[in-house]
Amino acid sequence: MDLINLNLTGPDWSLVVPQLIVFGLALVLLFLDAFLPNERHYTWLTAISLLGYAAAMVALYWQHGEDRATFNGAFRADGLTVFLSVIILSAAILSVMVSASYVERLEGRMPIGEFYVLLAFSILGALLTAAAGDLVMLFVGIELSSLATYVLTAFAKRRVTSVEGALKYFLLGIFASAILIYAMAWTYGLTGSTNLDEIRSAIQDTVAGQDRQEASLLLALLLLTVGLGFKIAAVPFHMWTPDAYDGAPTPVTGFMSVVPKAAGFAAIVRIMVQGLGPMRNDWTDLLAVLALITMAFGNIVAISQRNIKRMLAYSSIAHTGYMLVGLAAYQAREGTGFGSGNGAGSADLGVSSVLYYILAYTFMNIGAFAVVAWIQHRGRGMTLDDFAGLASSNPAAAVAMTIFMVSLMGVPPLLGFYAKYYVIVAAIDADLLWLALAVVILSAVSAYYYLRVVAVMYFNPPERQLGASSTWLLNAGIAVMVIANLALGLFSSRLVDLADRWTGALT
Amino acid sequence: MGEIGVNHFLFLSAALFIIGMMGVLIRRNILIIFMCVELMVTAANMSLIAFGWELNSLQGQSFALFTIAVAAAEAAVGLAIIIALSRRVRTPVDVDEMRTLRD
C-alpha cells in the first residue's frame, strides 16, 4: 500500500529569502532583547527592525516575476505573494515608525523588545499566509499572525481596557480558528488534498460532474466564510473589532487594522479564488451579501461614535465591506483587465481591485491612527473633542488628518478614491450594479463622520494647549503616508496593471 | 451492527464540534469557553484523521499534528491574557464582567 507519496526533492531556499529575513530579524531581536543593556533597547531595536523589513523588501525584488512553488507546493512564490508582501512589509515599516516613541512612553507596558519581536512574528505569519499554497501552511500562517497580535493588543498590560480588548479578540479569534480548521478538514476530506492546486482540479471535476458531494462542499464553504469573516471583521462576525481596537495601544490598533486584515484577505484569495475557484458561482453570491451588510453596518454605526478609535474601528469594518465587493466581483474572465495587460493569461478586475484597495487602505488607515497617536503624545485623549481647534494650534497635523479622512472617504484625486473607483468598476463589470450603487451611497453616508472630524479640527475653538513632545520618527511616518495618499493615486493605473498581471497567474 | 467506518468518526466529530460550539455560545465562564473551543479543535482533528484514514493519505494526520501545536500556542497566549486580567479585575472568569469597553 502506497501510503506516502513523497517527492523527495529538497526545497528551493532561494524562493523564501524575504520570509527568512523576517524570521531571522525576529530571532536577532529576541537575542538582542536578552543581551543588550536596557537603555540601548529603544534605539537599537527600532533601527534593526526598520533595517530588517527594508532588507526583506529589497529581497522581494528577486521574487518578482517568479511563478514557482517549493516545499512540496506548500510555499508559492508568485505575483500575488510579491504584491501582498510589499503591502505587508510597508505596513510593518510604517507601524515601527508610528509606534516606536509611543510604545516607549506607554505606561505599564511590557518591555519594548517584546513589542518588536511580536511585531516581527505577526508580520512573518502574514507573509507566510500570502505565500501559502497549501491549507496547512495557510492555517499556520494566519494563526502565527493572529496569536502575536492578541499579545500586542494586551501590550499595555496594566491597563484593564487593553487586556479586556485582547481577551475579547482572543476568544472570538480562536473560536473562528476552530471553525476554520473544521472547514479545512472537510475541504480536505471532500477533495482529497490539502494542496490548493489539487483542490482546484478536484473541485473542477465535481462541479463538472454534478456529484452529490456538492452539498457538503457548500457546508465547508460556508464554514470557511465564517472562519475567515471573523479574521477580516466582516459583519456579522465583527463583534470583537470595536472593543479590541479601542483597548489596544493606538499604534497597535493601526497595525492590527491592516496586517491581520491583509492576511485574512490573502487567505480568502488563496482559498476561494485559487482553491475553490470553480465554485465561484456559489461563493460570489455569499460574499456579495456579506459585503452589503458589512458596508451598511460599519458606515451607519460609525456615525454615532464620539471616540475616534471606535469610529475608525467601524470605518475599518466598512472598508472590509468595500474590499469584499471586489471579491464578489470575481469572475475569472478571459482576456485583459485594465490598461494593456499582457493578453496571454486571463485577468480579473475583481481580485486586482481588492489588492489595490488593501494597498491604499494601508496608507490611509495607519495614517489616521498615527495622527491619533500624535495627539495622544501631546496629552490629549481620543474623543472627538480632543481634536477641537487642532488647525489653529498645529496646522500641519490638522492638514495630515484631513488628508487621511478625505482619502478614507474617497475623494479624488486622493488614493482612497482610486481604490473605490476600481472596486466599483469591477462590480459593474460583473453585473453587480446594485452593489456598485451601494458602495457609492454608503460612501456618501461615510462623509458625515469623516468630515465631522475635519469640521471639529477647523471650526471648534481649542479647549487647551497641546503639550510639547518630540516624535520625529512618528512625524516622518505621517509625512510618508501623506505623500503616499497624495501621489500613489497618480500611479494607480500602473499599480493595478501590476496587480492585474500578477493575479493572472492564479486563474 | 455493521463495521465501524469513516462515517461513524465523522458523526462523532460533528457531534463534538456542535457541543463545543453550543458551549461557546451559552456558557459565560471564560475558562469553560476556552475549553469548549479546544473541544471544537479536537473535533476538527478527529475529522482530519478520519478523512486521512479514508483517503489513505498522511496529509490529514500531519495537518492534525500542526493543529495540535497551534492549539498549544493558543492555550499559552490565552492563559497569559487571563492571568494578566485577573490581576486587574476581581472576577475575571465571567465574560459579563468584561464591559469596560462598550459603545
Side-chain angles (χ1 to χ4, degrees):
Chain A
M1 188 161 63
D2 182 24
L3 200 60
I4 318 172
N5 185 17
L6 273 184
N7 189 5
L8 287 174
T9 47
D12 185 352
W13 292 100
S14 67
L15 290 181
V16 285
V17 173
Q19 286 80 4
L20 281 179
I21 290 177
V22 176
F23 181 56
L25 171 70
L27 296 185
V28 167
L29 289 172
L30 266 176
F31 271 104
L32 289 180
D33 183 39
F35 296 116
L36 216 61
N38 264 333
E39 65 273 10
R40 290 202 199 147
H41 273 182
Y42 173 59
T43 333
W44 275 73
L45 298 182
T46 309
I48 289 172
S49 295
L50 286 175
L51 278 177
Y53 297 127
M57 192 91 105
V58 171
L60 270 181
Y61 179 78
W62 284 278
Q63 251 190 17
H64 169 72
E66 292 280 2
D67 187 15
R68 281 193 290 154
T70 181
F71 289 97
N72 256 324
F75 185 97
R76 297 181 59 93
D78 55 18
L80 186 67
T81 307
V82 176
F83 200 96
L84 282 167
S85 300
V86 169
I87 297 174
I88 293 164
L89 288 172
S90 320
I93 293 173
L94 292 172
S95 296
V96 172
M97 292 173 92
V98 169
S99 50
S101 53
Y102 187 95
V103 172
E104 165 74 4
R105 286 169 225 178
L106 196 62
E107 272 179 42
R109 61 170 168 83
M110 298 189 252
I112 195 160
E114 292 176 21
F115 179 83
Y116 287 125
V117 172
L118 289 165
L119 200 70
F121 277 120
S122 184
I123 296 293
L124 178 66
L127 289 177
L128 290 180
T129 314
D134 188 290
L135 290 181
V136 183
M137 178 77 152
L138 202 122
F139 177 70
V140 172
I142 208 165
E143 280 309 296
L144 180 57
S145 176
S146 307
L147 280 175
T149 317
Y150 303 146
V151 188
L152 283 177
T153 311
F155 200 74
K157 66 175 179 184
R158 302 210 188 288
R159 185 154 53 78
V160 177
T161 49
S162 177
V163 185
E164 186 185 317
L167 186 73
K168 286 175 178 171
Y169 189 12
F170 171 76
L171 283 180
L172 289 168
I174 60 170
F175 182 55
S177 308
I179 295 174
L180 196 61
I181 308 168
Y182 195 65
M184 285 177 171
W186 275 88
T187 316
Y188 162 64
L190 297 171
T191 57
S193 175
T194 54
N195 186 294
L196 291 174
D197 289 335
E198 288 169 27
I199 289 175
R200 184 187 186 83
S201 54
I203 288 180
Q204 214 130 31
D205 301 340
T206 317
V207 171
Q210 291 298 328
D211 286 359
R212 65 176 174 80
Q213 282 187 338
E214 190 86 3
S216 27
L217 256 181
L218 280 180
L219 182 70
L221 179 66
L222 201 65
L223 289 173
L224 275 177
T225 316
V226 174
L228 293 171
F230 269 105
K231 299 281 177 197
I232 59 169
V235 178
F237 318 115
H238 66 282
M239 298 81 82
W240 57 272
T241 320
D243 289 348
Y245 281 27
D246 189 5
T250 308
V252 174
T253 313
F255 172 79
M256 71 197 230
S257 71
V258 170
V259 170
K261 192 172 282 198
F265 272 98
I268 290 188
V269 172
R270 285 287 183 200
I271 295 185
M272 303 268 184
V273 176
Q274 197 180 343
L276 306 181
M279 290 174 73
R280 65 175 169 278
N281 291 337
D282 297 315
W283 61 256
T284 46
D285 292 347
L286 197 62
L287 291 190
V289 174
L290 213 56
L292 181 67
I293 53 176
T294 305
M295 285 187 293
F297 182 87
N299 276 318
I300 289 166
V301 179
I303 290 175
S304 63
Q305 302 301 319
R306 299 289 299 173
N307 179 328
I308 293 280
K309 272 165 89 180
R310 290 189 91 83
M311 187 274 270
L312 285 172
Y314 284 108
S315 123
S316 95
I317 293 176
H319 284 271
T320 297
Y322 302 138
M323 294 181 217
L324 282 174
V325 170
L327 278 177
Y330 171 71
Q331 46 181 336
R333 61 182 194 143
E334 299 297 318
T336 53
F338 301 108
S340 57
N342 54 5
S346 60
D348 171 69
L349 290 83
V351 176
S352 23
S353 71
V354 174
L355 291 182
Y356 183 67
Y357 204 110
I358 302 175
L359 178 75
Y361 175 77
T362 302
F363 288 103
M364 302 186 288
N365 225 41
I366 297 185
F369 281 110
V371 180
V372 179
W374 189 92
I375 290 269
Q376 283 181 306
H377 256 300
R378 285 153 182 80
R380 294 273 188 94
M382 48 199 189
T383 62
L384 204 51
D385 300 325
D386 289 301
F387 280 77
L390 189 63
S392 57
S393 55
N394 196 311
V399 167
M401 190 65 173
T402 306
I403 285 173
F404 296 135
M405 288 294 120
V406 172
S407 186
L408 280 167
M409 199 175 103
V411 170
L414 297 171
L415 191 53
F417 163 74
Y418 290 95
K420 266 188 196 143
Y421 168 77
Y422 286 114
V423 164
I424 291 171
V425 169
I428 291 174
D429 198 63
D431 287 331
L432 290 168
L433 199 58
W434 57 279
L435 212 49
L437 273 176
V439 174
V440 175
I441 293 169
L442 289 167
S443 297
V445 172
S446 76
Y448 177 76
Y449 59 86
Y450 289 133
L451 289 183
R452 190 171 55 185
V453 179
V454 178
V456 165
M457 286 191 301
Y458 280 89
F459 303 128
N460 287 18
E463 290 189 335
R464 55 199 160 86
Q465 283 302 307
L466 288 173
S469 185
S470 137
T471 52
W472 64 271
L473 200 59
L474 172 60
N475 296 357
I478 293 178
V480 168
M481 285 181 279
V482 165
I483 293 167
N485 270 291
L486 292 173
L488 273 186
L490 302 177
F491 302 105
S492 58
S493 63
R494 204 173 292 173
L495 283 170
V496 173
D497 228 34
L498 273 181
D500 227 27
R501 193 140 12 106
W502 287 344
T503 52
L506 276 181
T507 48
Chain B
M1 298 295 282
E3 200 182 328
I4 302 246
V6 68
N7 283 342
H8 294 84
F9 285 106
L10 291 181
F11 274 117
L12 177 61
S13 136
L16 280 178
F17 187 79
I18 290 167
I19 291 171
M21 194 182 244
M22 287 321 281
V24 172
L25 299 177
I26 292 169
R27 299 302 293 260
R28 303 324 305 155
N29 185 310
I30 291 170
L31 289 172
I32 291 186
I33 291 177
F34 190 61
M35 288 190 306
C36 288
V37 171
E38 293 297 309
L39 193 64
M40 290 166 73
V41 173
T42 310
N45 280 339
M46 187 178 278
S47 291
L48 278 171
I49 293 166
F51 278 127
W53 179 51
E54 189 202 17
L55 295 165
N56 235 345
S57 85
L58 281 181
Q59 280 176 327
Q61 297 193 22
S62 57
F63 197 162
L65 285 176
F66 277 99
T67 312
I68 292 167
V70 169
E74 271 174 0
V77 168
L79 294 177
I81 292 176
I82 293 173
I83 290 172
L85 194 63
S86 70
R87 295 198 175 134
R88 304 284 131 208
V89 186
R90 213 171 334 116
T91 50
V93 287
D94 190 351
V95 274
D96 291 331
E97 292 296 312
M98 304 295 114
R99 53 188 177 205
T100 325
L101 293 165
R102 48 171 27 179
D103 283 331

